[in-house]
Amino acid sequence: MTRNAHIDPAATGLSLTAPCVILCEPQLGENIGTAARAMANFGLSDLRLVNPRDGWPSEKARAAASRADHVIDGVQVFDSVEAAIADLSFVFATTARSREVAKPVRGPDEAAATTSRLGAEGAKVGYLFGRERWGLNNDEVALADEIVTLPVDPDFASLNIAQAVLVCSYEWRVKANGGALPFRLDEEANPPASKDDLQRLFDHFEGALDAVNFFRPPEKRPSMVRNLRNILQKAALTDQEVKTLRGVIAALEGRKTRPHSGSGESGKG
């Protein structure tokens, strides 16, 4: 039997305003594209560029975006950070280094909590990312409300822009939808095995092992049986898994099994 999966509605649609991502003077189209891909993974689409070095549009960016075309098609280009953030209510400046600018410093999870709270109120929030080689300057950081930094190793704090965008986008998504996953297995369609069925499995398994003289020396049989039963108990087997194991044991015994229609698996022996 194939395990059924169901989609969590919270994972497919969000009612709050999503943040935008601003890349300040990005140098490589590939980095823009991979940042767009990271955004799309977590439901963000508002990408803004400030003076991209190689101009815009960029075929390298589109290729690296790996089908995140809706993000690439919606890119807005600005000639200054001030213009790029003009319509926003709150801005986070992302940096991995300590700055002279006195700002509250948040981790990506804290920033995401603020972003989702403001987004629920309809406010527009932006994450400002700096250049590949040296990030944001102090004047650019000064334009932000708070700093967001990742808990990286201080001895190797440099992150690719797309990696930083991905972490911030991920944390926002977790806060925005309460951690809803895109799918879960339907437990009702895969009920746990009853204790009676487990006991029948134990008896079947142990009987098959007795037939091949597995339990040697005989005086160790009780402890070996307990160990085997503990192993099977830890597996938290479903009803279908017990049937499959019984079919496996029956096949090893050389007994005919009852095939399950359409599943290709063996039933109880």
Side-chain angles (χ1 to χ4, degrees):
M1 179 178 65
T2 301
R3 291 189 171 189
N4 296 326
H6 66 272
I7 303 297
D8 188 334
T12 58
L14 300 173
S15 59
L16 70 173
T17 302
C20 69
V21 169
I22 307 112
L23 305 184
C24 183
E25 298 184 357
Q27 296 172 285
L28 299 175
E30 292 88 344
N31 285 339
I32 298 171
T34 50
R37 179 180 183 179
M39 291 172 61
N41 285 150
F42 298 102
L44 304 185
S45 59
D46 188 350
L47 176 58
R48 307 177 183 193
L49 309 179
V50 178
N51 294 325
R53 185 191 66 181
D54 296 333
W56 193 259
S58 166
E59 288 307 312
K60 290 182 178 179
R62 185 176 295 277
S66 188
R67 299 189 302 279
D69 292 332
H70 63 292
V71 179
I72 296 298
D73 291 339
V75 163
Q76 300 177 71
V77 180
F78 299 87
D79 59 7
S80 68
V81 173
E82 290 87 346
I85 66 174
D87 64 327
L88 304 180
S89 301
F90 199 95
V91 175
F92 286 103
T94 64
T95 179
R97 300 192 305 275
S98 176
R99 297 290 184 167
E100 298 174 2
V101 183
K103 300 278 184 186
V105 179
R106 311 295 184 195
D109 55 339
E110 297 173 294
T114 298
T115 302
S116 59
R117 174 178 56 80
L118 293 173
E121 299 169 359
K124 298 180 70 174
V125 178
Y127 286 83
L128 177 62
F129 295 85
R131 303 152 188 85
E132 289 94 329
R133 295 187 64 182
W134 51 276
L136 297 168
N137 62 40
N138 287 337
D139 289 337
E140 291 159 348
V141 173
L143 295 172
D145 297 277
E146 295 183 355
I147 290 171
V148 59
T149 193
L150 277 57
V152 294
D153 184 338
D155 293 330
F156 196 79
S158 177
L159 274 181
N160 175 274
I161 289 178
Q163 294 172 326
V165 170
L166 185 142
V167 171
C168 291
S169 301
Y170 164 81
E171 291 289 355
W172 172 79
R173 184 80 179 186
V174 169
K175 291 293 188 299
N177 70 1
L181 298 176
F183 72 91
R184 291 185 186 274
L185 292 180
D186 189 347
E187 295 181 2
E188 292 183 2
N190 301 278
S194 69
K195 294 301 182 184
D196 181 59
D197 283 341
L198 281 175
Q199 186 60 54
R200 292 175 185 275
L201 171 62
F202 298 156
D203 292 342
H204 190 180
F205 191 24
E206 292 152 19
L209 293 175
D210 279 327
V212 294
N213 198 25
F214 174 80
F215 298 110
R216 298 191 305 269
E219 59 268 22
K220 288 191 176 181
R221 186 183 191 282
S223 63
M224 295 173 75
V225 165
R226 281 194 298 270
N227 287 337
L228 289 171
R229 291 188 178 194
N230 281 335
I231 291 170
L232 293 170
Q233 289 275 20
K234 288 178 182 178
L237 298 170
T238 66
D239 175 68
Q240 179 58 40
E241 288 167 340
V242 166
K243 292 176 181 177
T244 299
L245 286 175
R246 299 261 338 246
V248 170
I249 297 167
L252 292 174
E253 291 176 312
R255 295 162 54 187
K256 291 183 178 180
T257 59
R258 297 194 306 271
H260 281 235
S261 59
S263 69
E265 294 177 335
S266 295
K268 290 183 181 180

Coordinates of all heavy atoms in Angstrom, one line a residue, residues 4 6 9-10 36 41 47 58 65-66 78-79 105 146 157 165 169 179 183 185 187 204 218 231 252 255 264:
N4 N -0.2 7.6 1.9 CA -0.8 8.8 1.4 C -0.1 10.0 2.1 O 0.2 9.9 3.3 CB -2.3 8.8 1.7 CG -3.0 7.7 0.9 OD1 -2.6 7.3 -0.2 ND2 -4.0 7.1 1.5
H6 N -0.5 14.4 2.7 CA -1.5 15.5 2.5 C -0.7 16.8 2.6 O 0.3 16.9 3.3 CB -2.6 15.4 3.6 CG -2.1 15.6 5.0 ND1 -1.6 14.6 5.8 CD2 -2.0 16.7 5.8 CE1 -1.3 15.0 7.0 NE2 -1.5 16.3 7.0
P9 N -2.3 23.3 4.4 CA -2.7 24.6 3.7 C -1.8 25.7 4.1 O -1.6 26.7 3.3 CB -4.2 24.8 4.2 CG -4.6 23.4 4.5 CD -3.5 22.6 5.1
A10 N -1.3 25.7 5.3 CA -0.4 26.8 5.8 C 0.9 26.9 5.0 O 1.5 27.9 5.0 CB -0.1 26.6 7.3
A36 N 17.9 34.8 -6.3 CA 16.5 34.7 -6.7 C 15.9 33.4 -6.5 O 14.7 33.2 -6.0 CB 16.3 35.1 -8.2
N41 N 12.4 29.7 -3.3 CA 12.2 28.5 -2.5 C 11.3 28.7 -1.3 O 10.6 27.8 -0.8 CB 13.6 28.0 -1.9 CG 14.4 27.3 -3.0 OD1 15.6 27.3 -2.9 ND2 13.8 26.6 -4.0
L47 N 12.6 41.3 -5.5 CA 14.0 41.4 -5.6 C 14.4 42.8 -6.2 O 13.9 43.1 -7.3 CB 14.7 40.3 -6.4 CG 16.2 40.3 -6.6 CD1 16.9 40.4 -5.3 CD2 16.6 39.2 -7.4
S58 N 20.0 40.3 -17.1 CA 21.2 39.4 -17.2 C 20.8 38.0 -17.5 O 20.1 37.4 -16.7 CB 22.0 39.5 -15.8 OG 22.9 38.4 -15.7
A65 N 19.1 31.2 -11.9 CA 17.8 31.2 -11.0 C 17.1 29.9 -11.1 O 16.2 29.7 -10.3 CB 16.9 32.4 -11.5
S66 N 17.4 29.1 -12.0 CA 16.8 27.7 -12.1 C 15.3 27.8 -12.1 O 14.7 27.2 -11.2 CB 17.4 26.8 -11.0 OG 17.0 25.5 -11.2
F78 N 17.6 50.2 -9.1 CA 17.6 51.5 -8.5 C 19.1 52.0 -8.6 O 20.0 51.2 -8.7 CB 17.2 51.5 -7.1 CG 15.8 51.0 -6.9 CD1 15.5 49.7 -6.7 CD2 14.7 52.0 -6.9 CE1 14.2 49.3 -6.6 CE2 13.4 51.5 -6.7 CZ 13.1 50.2 -6.5
D79 N 19.2 53.3 -8.6 CA 20.5 53.9 -8.6 C 21.1 54.3 -7.2 O 22.2 54.8 -7.1 CB 20.6 55.2 -9.5 CG 19.6 56.2 -9.1 OD1 19.0 56.1 -8.0 OD2 19.4 57.2 -9.8
V105 N 21.4 44.5 17.1 CA 21.9 43.4 16.3 C 21.0 42.2 16.6 O 20.9 41.8 17.7 CB 23.4 43.1 16.6 CG1 23.8 41.9 15.7 CG2 24.2 44.3 16.3
E146 N 17.8 48.1 11.9 CA 18.5 47.1 12.7 C 19.5 46.3 11.8 O 19.4 46.3 10.6 CB 17.6 46.1 13.4 CG 16.7 46.8 14.4 CD 15.8 45.9 15.2 OE1 15.8 44.7 14.9 OE2 15.1 46.3 16.1
A157 N 33.7 34.1 8.6 CA 32.3 34.7 8.6 C 31.8 35.0 7.2 O 30.6 35.3 7.1 CB 32.3 35.9 9.4
V165 N 20.9 35.1 1.8 CA 19.5 35.3 1.4 C 18.7 34.1 1.8 O 17.6 34.2 2.3 CB 19.4 35.6 -0.1 CG1 18.0 35.6 -0.6 CG2 20.0 37.0 -0.4
S169 N 15.6 34.1 4.3 CA 14.3 33.7 3.7 C 13.7 32.5 4.4 O 12.5 32.4 4.7 CB 14.5 33.3 2.2 OG 15.0 34.5 1.5
G179 N 6.1 27.1 10.7 CA 6.9 25.9 10.5 C 6.2 24.8 9.7 O 6.6 23.7 9.7
F183 N 4.4 18.8 3.0 CA 3.6 17.6 3.1 C 3.9 16.8 4.3 O 5.0 17.0 4.8 CB 3.8 16.8 1.8 CG 5.1 16.1 1.7 CD1 5.3 14.8 2.3 CD2 6.2 16.7 1.2 CE1 6.5 14.2 2.2 CE2 7.4 16.1 1.1 CZ 7.6 14.8 1.6
L185 N 3.1 12.6 5.8 CA 2.4 11.4 5.6 C 1.1 11.3 6.4 O 1.0 11.7 7.5 CB 3.3 10.2 5.9 CG 4.6 10.0 5.0 CD1 5.4 8.9 5.5 CD2 4.2 9.8 3.6
E187 N -1.0 9.6 8.7 CA -0.9 8.6 9.6 C -2.2 7.7 9.7 O -2.1 6.5 10.0 CB -0.6 9.2 11.0 CG 0.8 9.8 11.0 CD 1.2 10.4 12.4 OE1 0.3 10.2 13.3 OE2 2.3 10.9 12.5
H204 N 6.0 -15.8 14.4 CA 6.4 -16.3 13.1 C 7.9 -16.2 12.9 O 8.5 -17.2 12.4 CB 5.6 -15.4 12.0 CG 5.8 -15.9 10.6 ND1 5.2 -15.3 9.6 CD2 6.4 -17.0 10.1 CE1 5.4 -16.0 8.5 NE2 6.2 -17.0 8.8
P218 N 21.1 -23.3 23.3 CA 19.6 -23.2 23.6 C 19.4 -22.4 24.9 O 18.3 -21.7 24.9 CB 19.2 -24.7 23.8 CG 20.2 -25.4 23.0 CD 21.5 -24.7 23.1
I231 N 14.2 -5.0 19.1 CA 14.6 -4.4 17.9 C 13.3 -4.1 17.1 O 13.1 -3.0 16.5 CB 15.5 -5.3 17.1 CG1 16.9 -5.3 17.7 CG2 15.7 -4.8 15.6 CD1 17.8 -6.4 17.1
L252 N 11.3 -16.7 2.8 CA 12.5 -17.3 3.2 C 12.3 -18.7 3.7 O 13.2 -19.6 3.6 CB 13.2 -16.5 4.4 CG 13.7 -15.1 4.0 CD1 14.2 -14.3 5.2 CD2 14.8 -15.2 2.9
R255 N 7.6 -20.8 1.7 CA 6.1 -21.0 1.7 C 5.5 -20.1 0.6 O 6.1 -19.0 0.3 CB 5.5 -20.6 3.1 CG 5.9 -21.6 4.2 CD 5.7 -21.0 5.5 NE 4.3 -20.6 5.7 CZ 3.8 -20.0 6.7 NH1 4.6 -19.6 7.7 NH2 2.6 -19.6 6.8
G264 N 2.8 -5.3 -5.3 CA 4.0 -6.0 -5.5 C 4.7 -6.5 -4.2 O 5.8 -7.0 -4.2

